[in-house]
Amino acid sequence: MQDKEIMNLILPFKDKLYRFAYRIVGNSFEAEDIVQEILIKVWKKKEQFSQIENKEAWCMTMTRNLAIDKKRAKKMKTSSIENFHHIKDQSDTPAISMERKETVNRVREMINSLPEKQASVIHLRDIEGLSYKEIGVAMGLSLDQVKVVLHRARKALKLKFINKKQ
Amino acid sequence: MNNSEIRHLLNKYWETETSLEEEKLLKQYFSSGNVSEEFQEYSPLFDFYATELSRTSELNESSGISLLEKQKKSNVIHLRKAIIGVAAAGLIAFSVFWMKSEVDSGAQFANTYHEVEDPEEALKITKDALAFLSINFDKSSKKINKDLGNIKSAQIFK
Amino acid sequence: MKKKFIYTLLLAFSFSLGNSQADAIEKYFSKYYDDESFSTVYVSPKMFQMVTKVLGDEENAEVKDLIQGIKGLRILRSETNPMTVYKEALNTINTREYEILMTVRDKEQNLQFLTKESGDIISELLLLAGGDEEFIMLSFIGNINLNSIAKLAKSLDIDGAEYLEQLEDK
């Protein structure tokens, strides 16, 4: 496989990988890094990769694993670096008004406060619009497990909205 | 869509009974800018979904290809380091010849087929390979001569 | 006059060797090119023509001599099951085509040197090395002078310290 072919395979879903990585690591620098790492991984295993039927799901799984590893490693670092990322990253959220930004960030916090699996399933379903089957492949879950996790996640999310109102 | 339809869809949504199609309808409704007071509280949620979807990676074809090019170069450097490491150890003392080189424990050792396309790089690799070859050649011929010597002296003792 | 003719013939012959014939790695081990546990580096005959142009005057005389004779270089390396790969490689190489020059076995490593000859000239020299940690195979195509290789080892011994310093800069 030529480099160009690899790029053509990856580019159609690079944003999906990026957003999934962003969901987990929470900043654009590391999310961008992860996308690059995925590209290199694919290139290193290009023969294997060309045989994979569901390339997108494979990449999503890799993205999740890498992102979780990164997040774990980051926990070891000082909080000052985290703060730096946090501040720095505000400037790079999509162009929306300050007010909207705040409400959107509050929702992000709600979702991020869910267990990782639930938050990832919500992300894949409600942001990316993946089918249960696709989510299952990407997350390594059975169809039933996906439904259960999504159900719990939405329940928990609704509860958070109700609590917020009161 | 009227309020009762939306209410119905939202309830289904919270119960995880909506299809992808129905979820798309909900997203469309909340992005229409004409959300009924009744459902306002959930606006931020669907707003969040839409905002997140607008995030994009900076990766593009040319940046990706140049990243891969860089990766190839570093592969060759790793291979060079491996050979050099072994050859260098041989220069210090043949007894520790095969001791592991300082190559970063192989963890980063990337693997691929690479044809050298830069004469300077080719020269470096060739010199390393020649050093590796000649050191091993010298060491082996010395060892063989020594072994032959031992056989001869053993025969003398008989 | 006659001598000159033979030289020309030899030169033409060694060129054709470098250009047309596959080296042992290409012939027996190209299946590993796609294997992620192997790395391969290849310097083509065309590249060697350019290498001789960038050779500086300060270069070690033996290195210069040797490089001018080389028409191709291929290196195969792996860190995965090195001893198994080494043994497999020894079994794969046709010993009717390649003559074993030296075999060394000891605790840390195993080495085998093989040559392919055309008349009195070595047209390919192979070095296989297998230890606990890595397997390396080198194939030199061209006109390889064993005396120069032995001499190079001695000069490296002398220049060793300097060579090391150079390496550490990289």
Side-chain angles (χ1 to χ4, degrees):
Chain A
M1 237 199 296
Q2 296 293 307
D3 293 356
K4 233 185 141 132
E5 287 175 65
I6 295 176
M7 290 312 298
N8 289 341
L9 283 174
I10 299 273
L11 286 177
F13 51 81
K14 53 120 184 170
D15 293 334
K16 221 178 255 187
L17 303 180
Y18 173 78
R19 288 190 289 265
F20 198 24
Y22 187 98
R23 215 248 9 108
I24 297 167
V25 295
N27 74 79
S28 55
F29 307 111
E30 283 175 297
E32 208 69 73
D33 265 4
I34 289 167
V35 175
Q36 295 193 355
E37 276 179 55
I38 296 288
L39 172 63
I40 291 168
K41 263 186 209 289
V42 165
W43 171 73
K44 278 187 192 165
K45 298 186 181 235
K46 53 186 168 187
E47 296 314 315
Q48 221 176 307
F49 187 71
S50 62
Q51 318 263 317
I52 293 171
E53 212 174 296
N54 196 341
K55 296 182 169 55
E56 186 180 315
W58 187 84
C59 288
M60 288 296 267
T61 310
M62 298 291 284
T63 300
R64 180 163 179 260
N65 293 342
L66 272 176
I68 290 174
D69 280 354
K70 266 221 160 104
K71 199 180 173 186
R72 230 174 255 148
K74 210 170 79 176
K75 274 189 184 155
M76 318 282 274
K77 289 183 194 163
T78 59
S79 61
S80 62
I81 293 172
E82 296 233 6
N83 288 338
F84 169 75
H85 275 142
H86 190 65
I87 293 160
K88 193 72 191 191
D89 222 48
Q90 293 300 311
S91 61
D92 120 311
T93 32
I96 48 173
S97 73
M98 274 306 282
E99 201 195 325
R100 257 182 81 195
K101 212 176 261 183
E102 229 165 78
T103 53
V104 158
N105 277 339
R106 234 174 281 138
V107 176
R108 188 199 320 285
E109 276 162 29
M110 275 185 198
I111 291 176
N112 283 348
S113 69
L114 297 174
E116 193 280 324
K117 218 183 257 176
Q118 291 185 17
S120 283
V121 170
I122 283 270
H123 174 92
L124 296 177
R125 178 70 180 191
D126 289 336
I127 293 168
E128 302 295 351
L130 299 190
S131 69
Y132 291 159
K133 197 178 157 205
E134 288 169 312
I135 297 170
V137 178
M139 301 273 301
L141 298 172
S142 71
L143 261 179
D144 286 339
Q145 284 171 317
V146 172
K147 281 182 207 161
V148 169
V149 173
L150 185 63
H151 190 71
R152 281 189 195 142
R154 285 199 185 147
K155 283 260 169 230
L157 206 55
K158 193 185 179 191
L159 205 66
K160 282 177 197 287
F161 271 97
I162 291 167
N163 289 342
K164 198 187 80 178
K165 207 164 73 174
Q166 284 161 357
Chain B
M1 264 189 291
N2 62 40
N3 282 10
S4 78
E5 279 173 301
I6 297 298
R7 200 176 303 125
H8 174 67
L9 275 185
L10 258 182
N11 284 337
K12 269 181 89 177
Y13 173 82
W14 292 123
E15 289 303 322
T16 322
E17 284 163 2
T18 37
S19 67
L20 276 175
E21 260 324 297
E22 290 169 322
E23 285 162 20
K24 212 181 260 173
L25 287 177
L26 276 175
K27 286 178 192 171
Q28 273 166 10
Y29 171 78
F30 277 99
S31 68
S32 68
N34 195 11
V35 179
S36 151
E37 193 59 38
E38 184 186 344
F39 312 118
Q40 272 301 344
E41 57 172 318
Y42 296 122
S43 266
L45 181 65
F46 289 92
D47 202 6
F48 169 75
Y49 292 158
T51 320
E52 286 306 290
L53 194 60
S54 67
R55 256 176 226 288
T56 53
S57 158
E58 282 165 13
L59 185 75
N60 56 41
E61 184 172 303
S62 71
S63 75
I65 286 176
S66 81
L67 182 74
L68 294 182
E69 285 302 324
K70 236 189 265 165
Q71 191 66 22
K72 280 176 205 166
K73 277 220 175 92
S74 79
N75 279 345
V76 177
I77 293 165
H78 282 304
L79 191 115
R80 255 173 54 72
K81 268 195 200 159
I83 297 172
I84 290 167
V86 183
L91 291 169
I92 304 162
F94 288 131
S95 60
V96 289
F97 173 66
W98 203 255
M99 277 180 61
K100 192 65 195 122
S101 53
E102 312 87 285
V103 182
D104 21 345
S105 76
Q108 263 292 307
F109 200 93
N111 308 284
T112 185
Y113 181 85
H114 180 78
E115 179 166 347
V116 182
E117 272 151 11
D118 168 32
E120 295 286 347
E121 184 81 63
L123 176 61
K124 280 181 198 160
I125 288 172
T126 309
K127 279 164 74 178
D128 296 335
L130 282 172
F132 182 74
L133 172 72
S134 70
I135 289 159
N136 278 303
F137 187 83
D138 191 62
K139 180 198 163 201
S140 303
S141 25
K142 275 181 188 150
K143 189 173 190 303
I144 285 169
N145 283 336
K146 203 179 131 207
D147 291 347
L148 284 176
N150 287 343
I151 294 167
K152 275 180 198 149
S153 55
Q155 280 168 341
I156 293 163
F157 267 111
K158 256 188 186 170
Chain C
M1 196 57 201
K2 205 177 174 185
K3 216 173 177 181
K4 210 172 178 184
F5 174 72
I6 292 171
Y7 271 133
T8 324
L9 203 73
L10 276 180
L11 202 68
F13 187 60
S14 58
F15 262 111
S16 68
L17 271 176
N19 290 327
S20 65
Q21 241 168 300
D23 56 87
I25 295 178
E26 175 78 17
K27 200 184 302 172
Y28 301 121
F29 306 106
S30 54
K31 61 178 174 184
Y32 292 140
Y33 293 170
D34 293 333
D35 189 324
E36 55 163 312
S37 58
F38 286 84
S39 356
T40 313
V41 165
Y42 176 58
V43 185
S44 68
K46 207 175 150 200
M47 192 41 62
F48 269 106
Q49 287 174 10
M50 290 166 84
V51 168
T52 47
K53 282 177 198 150
V54 297
L55 268 176
D57 292 333
E58 74 289 348
E59 215 63 76
N60 176 307
E62 259 70 48
V63 168
K64 252 176 142 171
D65 269 5
L66 281 163
I67 287 181
Q68 273 158 1
I70 298 173
K71 301 275 177 282
L73 168 64
R74 207 186 286 271
I75 304 167
L76 182 71
R77 181 178 182 275
S78 175
E79 289 181 344
T80 315
N81 302 326
M83 275 316 290
T84 319
V85 177
Y86 176 75
K87 281 176 194 149
E88 191 198 314
L90 289 189
N91 289 330
T92 314
I93 295 168
N94 185 342
T95 46
R96 262 183 301 182
E97 202 177 343
Y98 291 89
E99 196 180 320
I100 297 170
L101 187 68
M102 281 194 282
T103 306
V104 177
R105 257 177 242 127
D106 64 31
K107 274 177 293 191
E108 301 112 1
Q109 64 163 336
N110 293 278
L111 290 168
Q112 186 160 85
F113 295 80
L114 296 113
T115 57
K116 185 171 170 178
E117 292 174 17
S118 316
D120 287 339
I121 297 167
I122 293 176
S123 60
E124 183 176 356
L125 178 69
L126 287 180
L127 167 56
L128 283 82
D132 291 334
E133 297 191 359
E134 63 187 329
F135 163 80
I136 294 187
M137 179 169 175
L138 294 96
S139 158
F140 296 86
I141 290 265
N143 180 358
I144 318 289
N145 185 335
L146 291 183
N147 278 328
S148 300
I149 290 167
K151 271 191 211 155
L152 176 62
K154 290 194 177 65
S155 69
L156 282 179
D157 229 354
I158 301 161
D159 305 338
E162 198 191 319
Y163 188 72
L164 259 186
E165 275 170 26
Q166 284 176 19
L167 292 178
E168 271 153 18
D169 294 341
K170 287 165 193 167

